[in-house]
Coordinates of all heavy atoms in Angstrom, one line a residue:
M1 N -18.1 -68.6 -89.6 CA -19.3 -68.1 -90.3 C -19.4 -66.6 -90.1 O -19.8 -65.9 -91.0 CB -20.5 -68.9 -89.9 CG -21.7 -68.3 -90.6 SD -22.7 -69.7 -91.2 CE -24.3 -68.8 -91.1
G2 N -19.3 -66.1 -88.9 CA -19.4 -64.7 -88.6 C -18.4 -63.8 -89.4 O -18.7 -62.7 -89.9
A3 N -17.2 -64.4 -89.6 CA -16.2 -63.6 -90.4 C -16.6 -63.6 -91.9 O -16.5 -62.5 -92.5 CB -14.8 -64.2 -90.3
A4 N -17.2 -64.6 -92.4 CA -17.7 -64.6 -93.8 C -18.9 -63.6 -93.9 O -18.9 -62.8 -94.9 CB -18.2 -66.1 -94.2
W5 N -19.7 -63.6 -93.0 CA -20.9 -62.7 -93.0 C -20.4 -61.2 -93.0 O -20.8 -60.4 -93.7 CB -21.9 -63.0 -91.8 CG -23.1 -62.2 -92.0 CD1 -24.3 -62.5 -92.6 CD2 -23.4 -60.9 -91.3 NE1 -25.2 -61.5 -92.5 CE2 -24.7 -60.5 -91.6 CE3 -22.6 -60.1 -90.5 CZ2 -25.2 -59.3 -91.3 CZ3 -23.2 -58.8 -90.1 CH2 -24.5 -58.5 -90.5
S6 N -19.5 -61.0 -92.1 CA -18.9 -59.6 -91.9 C -18.2 -59.2 -93.2 O -18.3 -58.1 -93.7 CB -17.9 -59.5 -90.8 OG -18.6 -59.6 -89.6
G7 N -17.5 -60.1 -93.8 CA -16.8 -59.9 -95.1 C -17.8 -59.5 -96.2 O -17.5 -58.6 -97.0
I8 N -18.9 -60.2 -96.3 CA -19.9 -59.9 -97.3 C -20.6 -58.6 -97.0 O -20.7 -57.7 -98.0 CB -21.0 -61.1 -97.4 CG1 -20.3 -62.3 -98.0 CG2 -22.2 -60.7 -98.3 CD1 -21.1 -63.6 -97.9
V9 N -21.1 -58.4 -95.8 CA -21.8 -57.2 -95.5 C -21.0 -55.9 -95.5 O -21.4 -54.9 -96.1 CB -22.5 -57.3 -94.2 CG1 -23.2 -56.1 -93.7 CG2 -23.6 -58.4 -94.2
Y10 N -19.8 -56.0 -94.9 CA -19.0 -54.8 -94.9 C -18.1 -54.7 -96.1 O -17.7 -53.6 -96.5 CB -18.1 -54.8 -93.6 CG -19.0 -54.5 -92.4 CD1 -19.4 -55.5 -91.6 CD2 -19.4 -53.2 -92.0 CE1 -20.2 -55.3 -90.5 CE2 -20.1 -52.9 -90.9 CZ -20.5 -54.0 -90.2 OH -21.4 -53.7 -89.1
G11 N -17.8 -55.7 -96.8 CA -17.0 -55.7 -97.9 C -17.7 -55.5 -99.2 O -17.8 -54.4 -99.8
F12 N -18.5 -56.5 -99.6 CA -19.2 -56.5 -101.0 C -20.4 -55.5 -100.8 O -20.7 -54.8 -101.8 CB -19.7 -57.9 -101.3 CG -18.6 -58.8 -101.6 CD1 -18.6 -60.1 -101.1 CD2 -17.6 -58.4 -102.4 CE1 -17.6 -61.0 -101.4 CE2 -16.5 -59.3 -102.7 CZ -16.5 -60.6 -102.2
A13 N -21.1 -55.4 -99.7 CA -22.2 -54.5 -99.6 C -21.8 -53.1 -99.4 O -22.5 -52.1 -99.5 CB -23.2 -55.0 -98.5
G14 N -20.5 -52.9 -98.9 CA -19.9 -51.6 -98.7 C -20.6 -50.7 -97.6 O -20.7 -49.6 -97.7
I15 N -21.0 -51.4 -96.5 CA -21.6 -50.8 -95.4 C -20.6 -49.9 -94.6 O -19.6 -50.4 -94.2 CB -22.3 -51.8 -94.5 CG1 -23.6 -52.3 -95.3 CG2 -22.7 -51.2 -93.2 CD1 -24.4 -53.3 -94.5
V16 N -21.0 -48.7 -94.4 CA -20.3 -47.8 -93.4 C -21.3 -47.4 -92.4 O -22.3 -46.8 -92.7 CB -19.7 -46.6 -94.1 CG1 -19.0 -45.7 -93.1 CG2 -18.7 -47.1 -95.2
N17 N -21.1 -47.8 -91.1 CA -22.0 -47.4 -90.0 C -21.3 -46.7 -88.9 O -20.4 -47.3 -88.3 CB -22.7 -48.7 -89.5 CG -23.8 -48.4 -88.5 OD1 -24.3 -47.3 -88.5 ND2 -24.2 -49.4 -87.7
N18 N -21.6 -45.5 -88.7 CA -21.1 -44.7 -87.6 C -22.2 -44.1 -86.8 O -23.4 -44.3 -87.2 CB -20.0 -43.6 -88.0 CG -20.6 -42.6 -88.9 OD1 -21.7 -42.1 -88.7 ND2 -19.9 -42.2 -89.9
A19 N -21.9 -43.4 -85.7 CA -23.0 -43.0 -84.9 C -23.9 -42.0 -85.6 O -25.1 -41.9 -85.3 CB -22.3 -42.3 -83.7
D20 N -23.5 -41.2 -86.6 CA -24.3 -40.2 -87.2 C -24.9 -40.6 -88.5 O -25.9 -40.0 -88.9 CB -23.4 -39.0 -87.5 CG -22.9 -38.3 -86.2 OD1 -23.6 -38.4 -85.2 OD2 -21.7 -37.9 -86.3
H21 N -24.4 -41.6 -89.2 CA -24.8 -41.8 -90.5 C -24.6 -43.4 -90.9 O -23.7 -44.0 -90.5 CB -24.1 -40.9 -91.4 CG -24.6 -41.0 -92.9 ND1 -25.8 -40.5 -93.2 CD2 -24.0 -41.5 -94.0 CE1 -26.0 -40.6 -94.6 NE2 -24.9 -41.2 -95.0
F22 N -25.5 -43.9 -91.7 CA -25.4 -45.2 -92.2 C -25.4 -45.1 -93.8 O -26.3 -44.4 -94.4 CB -26.6 -46.1 -91.8 CG -26.5 -47.5 -92.3 CD1 -25.8 -48.5 -91.7 CD2 -27.1 -47.9 -93.5 CE1 -25.7 -49.8 -92.2 CE2 -27.1 -49.1 -94.0 CZ -26.3 -50.1 -93.3
S23 N -24.4 -45.8 -94.4 CA -24.3 -45.7 -95.9 C -23.9 -47.0 -96.5 O -23.4 -47.9 -95.8 CB -23.4 -44.6 -96.4 OG -22.1 -44.8 -95.9
L24 N -24.2 -47.2 -97.8 CA -23.8 -48.3 -98.6 C -23.1 -47.8 -99.8 O -23.6 -46.9 -100.5 CB -25.0 -49.2 -99.0 CG -25.7 -50.0 -97.9 CD1 -26.9 -49.2 -97.4 CD2 -26.1 -51.3 -98.4
E25 N -22.1 -48.5 -100.2 CA -21.4 -48.4 -101.5 C -21.1 -49.8 -102.0 O -20.0 -50.3 -101.9 CB -20.2 -47.5 -101.4 CG -20.5 -46.1 -101.0 CD -19.3 -45.1 -101.1 OE1 -18.3 -45.6 -101.6 OE2 -19.5 -44.0 -100.7
P26 N -22.1 -50.5 -102.5 CA -21.9 -51.9 -102.9 C -20.9 -52.2 -104.0 O -20.8 -51.3 -104.9 CB -23.3 -52.3 -103.3 CG -24.3 -51.3 -102.9 CD -23.4 -50.1 -102.7
H27 N -20.3 -53.3 -104.0 CA -19.3 -53.7 -105.0 C -19.4 -55.2 -105.1 O -18.6 -56.0 -104.6 CB -17.9 -53.3 -104.6 CG -17.6 -51.9 -104.5 ND1 -17.6 -51.0 -105.4 CD2 -17.5 -51.2 -103.3 CE1 -17.4 -49.8 -105.0 NE2 -17.4 -49.9 -103.6
L28 N -20.5 -55.7 -105.7 CA -20.7 -57.1 -105.8 C -19.8 -57.7 -106.8 O -19.5 -57.1 -107.8 CB -22.2 -57.5 -106.2 CG -23.3 -57.2 -105.2 CD1 -24.6 -57.7 -105.7 CD2 -23.0 -57.8 -103.9
P29 N -19.3 -59.0 -106.6 CA -18.6 -59.7 -107.6 C -19.4 -59.8 -108.9 O -20.6 -60.0 -108.8 CB -18.2 -61.0 -107.0 CG -18.4 -60.8 -105.5 CD -19.4 -59.8 -105.4
D30 N -18.8 -59.8 -110.0 CA -19.5 -59.9 -111.3 C -20.3 -61.2 -111.4 O -21.5 -61.1 -112.0 CB -18.5 -59.9 -112.5 CG -17.9 -58.5 -112.6 OD1 -18.5 -57.5 -112.2 OD2 -16.8 -58.4 -113.3
A31 N -19.9 -62.3 -110.8 CA -20.6 -63.5 -110.9 C -21.8 -63.6 -110.0 O -22.6 -64.5 -110.1 CB -19.7 -64.6 -110.5
W32 N -22.0 -62.5 -109.0 CA -23.2 -62.6 -108.1 C -24.3 -61.8 -108.7 O -24.1 -60.7 -109.2 CB -22.8 -61.9 -106.8 CG -21.8 -62.8 -106.0 CD1 -21.0 -63.7 -106.4 CD2 -21.6 -62.6 -104.6 NE1 -20.3 -64.2 -105.4 CE2 -20.6 -63.5 -104.2 CE3 -22.1 -61.7 -103.6 CZ2 -20.1 -63.6 -102.9 CZ3 -21.6 -61.9 -102.3 CH2 -20.7 -62.7 -102.0
N33 N -25.6 -62.4 -108.6 CA -26.8 -61.6 -109.1 C -27.2 -60.6 -108.0 O -27.6 -59.5 -108.3 CB -27.9 -62.6 -109.4 CG -27.5 -63.4 -110.5 OD1 -26.9 -63.0 -111.5 ND2 -28.0 -64.6 -110.6
C34 N -27.1 -61.1 -106.7 CA -27.6 -60.3 -105.6 C -27.1 -60.8 -104.3 O -26.7 -62.0 -104.2 CB -29.1 -60.0 -105.6 SG -30.1 -61.5 -105.2
V35 N -27.3 -60.1 -103.3 CA -27.1 -60.5 -101.8 C -28.2 -59.9 -101.0 O -28.5 -58.8 -101.3 CB -25.6 -60.1 -101.4 CG1 -25.4 -58.7 -101.3 CG2 -25.4 -60.8 -100.0
K36 N -28.7 -60.6 -100.1 CA -29.8 -60.2 -99.3 C -29.5 -60.5 -97.9 O -29.1 -61.6 -97.5 CB -31.1 -61.0 -99.7 CG -32.4 -60.5 -99.0 CD -33.6 -61.4 -99.4 CE -34.3 -60.6 -100.6 NZ -35.6 -61.3 -100.9
F37 N -29.8 -59.5 -97.0 CA -29.5 -59.7 -95.5 C -30.4 -58.7 -94.7 O -30.9 -57.7 -95.2 CB -28.0 -59.5 -95.2 CG -27.5 -58.2 -95.7 CD1 -27.5 -57.1 -94.8 CD2 -26.9 -58.0 -96.9 CE1 -27.0 -55.9 -95.3 CE2 -26.4 -56.9 -97.4 CZ -26.4 -55.8 -96.5
R38 N -30.5 -59.0 -93.5 CA -31.2 -58.2 -92.6 C -30.3 -57.6 -91.5 O -29.3 -58.3 -91.2 CB -32.3 -59.0 -91.8 CG -33.4 -59.4 -92.6 CD -34.4 -60.2 -91.7 NE -35.4 -60.8 -92.6 CZ -36.8 -60.5 -92.5 NH1 -37.1 -59.6 -91.6 NH2 -37.6 -61.0 -93.3
L39 N -30.6 -56.4 -91.1 CA -29.8 -55.8 -90.1 C -30.7 -55.0 -89.1 O -31.7 -54.5 -89.5 CB -28.8 -54.6 -90.7 CG -27.6 -55.1 -91.4 CD1 -26.8 -53.9 -91.9 CD2 -26.6 -55.9 -90.5
Q40 N -30.3 -55.0 -87.8 CA -31.0 -54.1 -86.8 C -30.1 -52.9 -86.7 O -28.9 -52.9 -86.3 CB -31.0 -54.9 -85.4 CG -31.8 -56.1 -85.4 CD -33.3 -55.7 -85.2 OE1 -33.6 -54.6 -84.8 NE2 -34.2 -56.6 -85.6
L41 N -30.7 -51.7 -87.0 CA -30.0 -50.4 -86.9 C -30.9 -49.4 -86.3 O -32.0 -49.2 -86.8 CB -29.6 -49.9 -88.3 CG -28.5 -50.8 -89.1 CD1 -28.6 -50.4 -90.5 CD2 -27.2 -50.6 -88.5
H42 N -30.4 -48.6 -85.3 CA -31.2 -47.6 -84.8 C -32.6 -47.9 -84.5 O -33.5 -47.2 -84.8 CB -31.1 -46.3 -85.7 CG -29.7 -46.0 -86.1 ND1 -28.8 -45.3 -85.2 CD2 -29.0 -46.1 -87.2 CE1 -27.7 -45.1 -85.8 NE2 -27.8 -45.6 -87.0
H43 N -32.8 -49.0 -83.7 CA -34.1 -49.6 -83.4 C -35.0 -49.9 -84.6 O -36.3 -49.9 -84.5 CB -34.8 -48.6 -82.4 CG -34.0 -48.2 -81.3 ND1 -33.6 -49.1 -80.2 CD2 -33.3 -47.0 -81.0 CE1 -32.9 -48.5 -79.3 NE2 -32.7 -47.3 -79.8
C44 N -34.5 -50.2 -85.7 CA -35.2 -50.6 -86.9 C -34.6 -52.0 -87.4 O -33.4 -52.2 -87.3 CB -35.0 -49.6 -88.0 SG -35.6 -47.9 -87.6
E45 N -35.5 -52.8 -87.9 CA -35.1 -54.0 -88.6 C -35.2 -53.7 -90.1 O -36.3 -53.4 -90.5 CB -35.9 -55.2 -88.3 CG -35.4 -56.4 -89.0 CD -36.3 -57.7 -88.7 OE1 -37.2 -57.5 -87.9 OE2 -35.9 -58.8 -89.2
L46 N -34.2 -53.8 -90.9 CA -34.1 -53.4 -92.3 C -33.7 -54.7 -93.1 O -32.8 -55.4 -92.6 CB -33.1 -52.3 -92.6 CG -33.3 -51.0 -91.8 CD1 -32.2 -50.2 -91.9 CD2 -34.6 -50.4 -92.4
L47 N -34.4 -54.9 -94.2 CA -34.0 -55.9 -95.2 C -33.3 -55.3 -96.4 O -34.0 -54.4 -97.0 CB -35.3 -56.7 -95.6 CG -35.1 -57.8 -96.7 CD1 -34.1 -58.9 -96.2 CD2 -36.4 -58.3 -97.1
F48 N -32.1 -55.7 -96.7 CA -31.4 -55.1 -97.8 C -31.3 -56.2 -98.9 O -31.0 -57.4 -98.6 CB -30.0 -54.7 -97.4 CG -29.9 -53.6 -96.4 CD1 -29.9 -53.8 -95.1 CD2 -29.8 -52.3 -96.9 CE1 -29.9 -52.8 -94.2 CE2 -29.7 -51.2 -96.1 CZ -29.8 -51.5 -94.6

């Protein structure tokens, strides 16, 4: 299950997280309406 979650978040959501910057470049499959997930980053809880 962890591999599937990572594939969705880092693949389809296009997340790039390094020490200096956090960015997204999403590429959802055409058949998907949306994807929703939470992340803890830099002492913040974010809902995407």
Side-chain angles (χ1 to χ4, degrees):
M1 177 135 154
W5 187 87
S6 291
I8 290 169
V9 171
Y10 288 98
F12 297 132
I15 288 180
V16 176
N17 186 21
N18 61 41
D20 297 326
H21 189 68
F22 180 84
S23 64
L24 290 98
E25 293 188 8
H27 303 283
L28 291 186
D30 290 337
W32 291 19
N33 293 326
C34 73
V35 63
K36 183 183 267 191
F37 56 90
R38 291 178 186 245
L39 285 178
Q40 292 280 340
L41 297 166
H42 307 286
H43 307 291
C44 296
E45 180 182 2
L46 301 166
L47 174 64
F48 293 89

